[in-house]
């Protein structure tokens, strides 16, 4: 559902988790770049407006700063409610459930429940998702060429005589 079609979004999150991510003003003083990264409202608005590509860019400082000031992001954030859900809390810590409910301007309601965050053993990342995340994070530390050499070496780890090749790539 495109962000422009959204009338409102409700994020039901187990109570303990909601305490950490219910932040309708992630740009407030003192939060730095961690505010928006952990704000459920900011992430949901960005996902609705830009999809996975927008979420992937959350580690880019300039992009994050631009999106924090984006009138469309802020307007959509104002349509997002976080519910600290005691019913979902009863399942914690066995499940880390959340439910997203989107109501469109034409009255359609779409809802999705996730019991475990992406990357948990119960909801693992695919190989492609894991490689994509690795490239984003490793690219903050290493050149693109080195990121790819580390990846190729790690993916061929079983064929190495020892780990010295990989260790050398990871060292300064």
């Amino acid at each position: 559902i495109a962000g422009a079609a959204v009338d409102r979004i409700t994020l039901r999150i187990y109570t303990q988790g909601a305490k950490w991510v219910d932040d309708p003003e992630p740009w407030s003083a003192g939060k730095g770049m961690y505010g928006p990264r952990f704000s459920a409202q900011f992430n949901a608005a960005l996902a609705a407006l830009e999809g996975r590509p927008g979420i992937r860019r959350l580690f880019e400082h300039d992009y994050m700063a631009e999106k924090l000031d984006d009138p469309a992001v802020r307007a959509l954030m104002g349509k997002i409610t976080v519910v600290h859900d005691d019913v979902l809390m009863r399942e914690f810590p066995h499940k880390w459930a959340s439910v997203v409910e989107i109501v469109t301007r034409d009255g359609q309601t779409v809802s999705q429940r996730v019991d475990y965050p992406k990357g948990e053993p119960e909801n693992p990342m695919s190989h492609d998702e894991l490689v994509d995340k690795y490239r984003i994070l490793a690219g903050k530390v290493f050149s693109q060429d080195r990121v790819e050499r580390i990846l190729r070496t790690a993916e061929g780890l079983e064929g190495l005589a020892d780990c010295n090749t990989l260790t050398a790539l990871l060292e300064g």
Side-chain angles (χ1 to χ4, degrees), residues 112-129:
Q112 177 71 45
R113 177 184 167 128
V114 174
D115 287 329
Y116 303 98
K118 191 66 158 177
E120 291 296 315
E122 299 86 354
N123 188 11
M125 288 189 217
S126 69
H127 180 267
D128 289 345
E129 290 169 326

Side-chain angles (χ1 to χ4, degrees):
I1 297 173
V6 172
D7 181 57
R8 68 183 178 276
I9 298 174
T10 302
L11 307 173
R12 291 180 33 229
I13 303 170
Y14 68 100
T15 307
Q16 189 65 33
K19 290 176 185 176
W20 292 101
V21 299
D22 183 5
D23 186 1
E25 296 183 358
W27 50 80
S28 297
K31 294 181 183 176
M33 289 294 111
Y34 290 103
R37 286 187 186 132
F38 289 97
S39 166
Q41 292 89 335
F42 180 76
N43 280 265
L46 192 59
L49 292 167
E50 303 206 6
R52 190 176 309 270
I55 297 298
R56 285 183 72 243
R57 295 185 65 193
L58 282 175
F59 288 96
E60 296 176 24
H61 181 78
D62 291 342
Y63 175 81
M64 178 89 67
E66 173 189 326
K67 292 302 165 186
L68 278 174
D69 290 331
D70 186 326
V73 172
R74 287 199 180 196
L76 189 52
M77 286 178 67
K79 298 178 180 183
I80 298 171
T81 302
V82 174
V83 174
H84 298 229
D85 196 308
D86 292 329
V87 173
L88 295 176
M89 185 63 197
R90 291 184 206 135
E91 300 175 22
F92 180 78
H94 304 292
K95 293 182 179 177
W96 300 16
S98 60
V99 178
V100 176
E101 182 180 275
I102 301 172
V103 178
T104 62
R105 288 185 176 172
D106 65 4
Q108 178 186 3
T109 300
V110 179
S111 181
Q112 177 71 45
R113 177 184 167 128
V114 174
D115 287 329
Y116 303 98
K118 191 66 158 177
E120 291 296 315
E122 299 86 354
N123 188 11
M125 288 189 217
S126 69
H127 180 267
D128 289 345
E129 290 169 326
L130 189 59
V131 167
D132 188 46
K133 184 173 183 176
Y134 159 75
R135 284 182 172 131
I136 291 168
L137 297 176
K140 299 300 237 174
V141 180
F142 300 118
S143 70
Q144 201 57 43
D145 176 63
R146 193 163 174 186
V147 166
E148 294 306 315
R149 287 187 298 151
I150 293 168
L151 179 60
R152 283 192 306 274
T153 304
E155 287 184 330
L157 196 58
E158 296 84 13
L160 296 177
D162 58 48
C163 291
N164 289 337
T165 305
L166 180 58
T167 302
L169 285 169
L170 295 170
E171 290 177 338

